[in-house]
Amino acid sequence: MALRFYNTLTQQMEFFHPLEDNTVRMYTCGPTVYNFVHIGNFRTFTFQDILRRWLRYRGFKLKHVMNVTDVDDKIIKNAAKEHKSIDEYTSVYTRAFFEDAAKLRLQQPEHVAPATKHIQVMVEAVERLAAKGYTYTNEGSTYYRIAAFPDYGKLSHNDFGGIRSGARVDVDEYDKADARDFVLWKARRGDEPFWEAPFGEGRPGWHIECSAMAMSYLGETLDIHAGGVDLIFPHHENEIAQSEAISGKPFARFWLHAEHLHIESQKMSKSLGNFYTLRDLLGMGYHPEAIRYLLASVPYRKKLNFTFEGLKAATRSIERLRDFEVRLTSTRLAPGKNEAVTERSHEAIRMFEDALDDDLNTAEALAAIFEYVRAMNTALDEGDFQEENRWDAARVLEVFDTIFDVLKPGEGAGKMDEERSDAGDEVLSDVGIEAQIEERNRAKRSRDFARADAIRAALHDQGIVLEDTKDGVRWKRK
Ligand code: AMP
Ligand code: ZN
């Protein structure tokens, strides 16, 4: 079977092929750099990395653009509070994002586009919309008139016919129930940062940012546009309204959306405060490869429930594969080649490929690899695996690692082996300790006292003493 993806736009599984020159023109919405991103965000970015790698494995060239939202209300507010320019404020988090992404082995898109470096194309996009009658202004801000775009709602599959009242919304994020004319250009307020434009001083809204940059790098019709499911409405719906109003052409052929990472049945999010950053988890001694593996292991359209048990299981899975790799190179084998083993190796690769062709079914792809490793370990035990079969097996691992990229040990942070990291030869950071305490609080709230006790005991082994007080948990180092 050939490569196929589930397309949010058509709500169907569709065979995928790029429109032109075997090159996939792809745009993914990047981070808003007002803080450290959390591992929920990284679930979506890891899905995009697997997507990139699979498209390349399938022989396509890639032209992938990711934006960095480095101007928005939160950024402006936080920067002002810290008496910094928005550039000074965001550069810390932009750098942190790329450091974290590198630790998770996420390949860099061909173009990374910070919004503030592309204001001119956004101004031009607003002008084109204005010239075609899709905009109006109010108190210096320019809005998109959704009633002028009859297809509004086609991505989120909502009928917004009844609520196109001409009411406006100035914030970038809002609910379906609040579908309104959205802001393209926000008028300058007070001493906030601003840019000049023919239609007044101000700054771009979030939605025009992505439409304008996507079209300026990739042309009027993209092959793939991707992001997390929370972006379907309003962000991507608005991108379609803007781009298609400008070009009169379909904006993106395939829309791919990753489900959320949850923790205790709730979406992990900054606003709920129930998040871990990559840095938190590394501080607790977990390894980036294990986090990458966990984030990639659940197919992207399924919710991923984050647990520490899951993270430990990911650690063990990688160990199993690395042990097999070592066994492959270190075992003395009889000369020659067992054709049945060669055939089984080819079959493993076929199954792995079929799974990823099927809308990136990473769980099936992993199952194919683990079944293969089990079979090969048995073949090694029973002397059925011969000298020349090493290359067959090495090829299977190579194909696997081209996509999952977890076999090569990382540098620095954490250790793969739980026992060793529990032995207390590593100093836990304060952030790591607090994250563990939070995990214990959660366990207690869900009446999982065994888990809560286990966390207390693990911290104790690392020289951290907890004291439950009426104001919460205090901790100290022994
Ligand atoms: P943001 O920085 O908030 O714009 O988000 C960056 C990316 O992370 C977007 O594609 C979001 O859809 C995605 N995202 C946010 N929260 C989660 C979550 N809990 N699980 C998976 N993806 C998420
Ligand atoms: Zn976007």
Side-chain angles (χ1 to χ4, degrees), residues 28-35 37-45 47-48 67 69 72 74 97 173 206 226-232 235-236 257-263 266-270 274 304:
T28 57
C29 295
T32 306
V33 282
Y34 74 103
N35 208 325
V37 312
H38 56 66
I39 55 160
N41 302 126
F42 273 122
R43 197 249 169 139
T44 294
F45 296 124
F47 141 66
Q48 287 159 5
N67 67 309
T69 301
D72 82 344
K74 289 178 290 239
F97 172 78
E173 288 169 81
W206 175 35
V229 283
D230 56 316
L231 300 189
I232 297 173
H235 187 49
H236 290 163
H257 291 101
E259 252 301 343
H260 284 144
L261 179 143
H262 279 223
I263 181 159
Q266 268 189 319
K267 175 190 168 190
M268 181 173 281
S269 78
K270 292 264 163 58
N274 60 350
L304 192 167

Side-chain angles (χ1 to χ4, degrees), residues 81-374:
K81 227 188 293 168
E82 294 184 17
H83 307 288
K84 288 184 177 152
S85 69
I86 56 174
D87 208 32
E88 281 166 333
Y89 178 77
T90 57
S91 60
V92 175
Y93 299 112
T94 306
R95 204 173 329 114
F97 172 78
F98 286 106
E99 277 169 21
D100 290 357
K103 288 208 174 99
L104 288 173
R105 305 182 181 181
L106 307 184
Q107 294 180 343
Q108 278 251 11
E110 281 64 36
H111 299 279
V112 171
T116 56
K117 305 283 182 298
H118 296 78
I119 302 291
Q120 191 50 36
V121 292
M122 299 172 207
V123 169
E124 284 161 20
V126 176
E127 285 192 292
R128 289 172 75 183
L129 286 170
K132 290 187 159 198
Y134 285 93
T135 70
Y136 61 92
T137 58
N138 185 270
E139 295 180 3
S141 291
T142 303
Y143 296 86
Y144 186 100
R145 190 192 304 280
I146 61 175
F149 186 72
D151 275 350
Y152 195 77
K154 72 175 174 183
L155 181 70
S156 53
H157 301 280
N158 280 300
D159 179 6
F160 290 117
I163 43 176
R164 279 179 217 155
S165 59
R168 288 175 293 279
V169 54
D170 279 303
V171 289
D172 285 325
E173 288 169 81
Y174 49 89
D175 281 349
K176 290 192 183 79
D178 258 342
R180 313 232 187 117
D181 293 345
F182 57 90
V183 73
L184 295 164
W185 188 260
K186 285 195 189 200
R188 171 186 180 185
R189 259 181 310 184
D191 21 333
E192 284 183 355
F194 66 93
W195 286 266
E196 303 282 351
F199 35 84
E201 293 173 344
R203 63 189 174 81
W206 175 35
H207 314 300
I208 198 67
E209 170 187 327
C210 285
S211 277
M213 293 198 289
M215 296 206 291
S216 94
Y217 281 96
L218 300 170
E220 291 173 334
T221 300
L222 324 177
D223 291 302
I224 298 179
H225 196 314
V229 283
D230 56 316
L231 300 189
I232 297 173
F233 187 87
H235 187 49
H236 290 163
E237 195 70 66
N238 292 350
E239 282 191 41
I240 290 179
Q242 299 164 145
S243 302
E244 299 193 357
I246 290 173
S247 71
K249 298 192 183 131
F251 176 43
R253 298 166 57 232
F254 282 77
W255 288 87
L256 271 55
H257 291 101
E259 252 301 343
H260 284 144
L261 179 143
H262 279 223
I263 181 159
E264 290 186 355
S265 327
Q266 268 189 319
K267 175 190 168 190
M268 181 173 281
S269 78
K270 292 264 163 58
S271 52
L272 293 171
N274 60 350
F275 64 90
Y276 290 109
T277 63
L278 180 68
R279 286 145 201 258
D280 294 337
L281 298 181
L282 300 183
M284 292 161 76
Y286 292 100
H287 210 275
E289 294 99 282
I291 299 162
R292 175 178 169 86
Y293 183 102
L294 177 68
L295 296 180
S297 61
V298 175
Y300 76 96
R301 287 201 298 125
K302 289 211 163 79
K303 288 199 179 86
L304 192 167
N305 190 32
F306 175 83
T307 62
F308 284 93
E309 283 316 314
L311 196 46
K312 286 179 182 149
T315 304
R316 288 191 295 271
S317 297
I318 297 173
E319 283 295 323
R320 211 172 311 145
L321 297 175
R322 288 184 182 167
D323 288 348
F324 175 63
E325 204 177 22
V326 170
R327 194 170 178 200
L328 268 186
T329 46
S330 60
T331 309
R332 288 183 63 130
L333 297 169
K337 180 177 185 176
N338 179 344
E339 284 302 335
V341 167
T342 302
E343 182 38 46
R344 182 67 186 82
S345 307
H346 293 166
E347 184 193 40
I349 292 178
R350 272 197 309 274
M351 288 168 72
F352 182 82
E353 291 176 344
D354 285 349
L356 290 174
D357 274 348
D358 182 14
D359 198 26
L360 306 178
N361 191 335
T362 47
E364 289 273 336
L366 289 171
I369 298 301
F370 280 97
E371 275 160 30
Y372 171 75
V373 168
R374 200 171 307 126

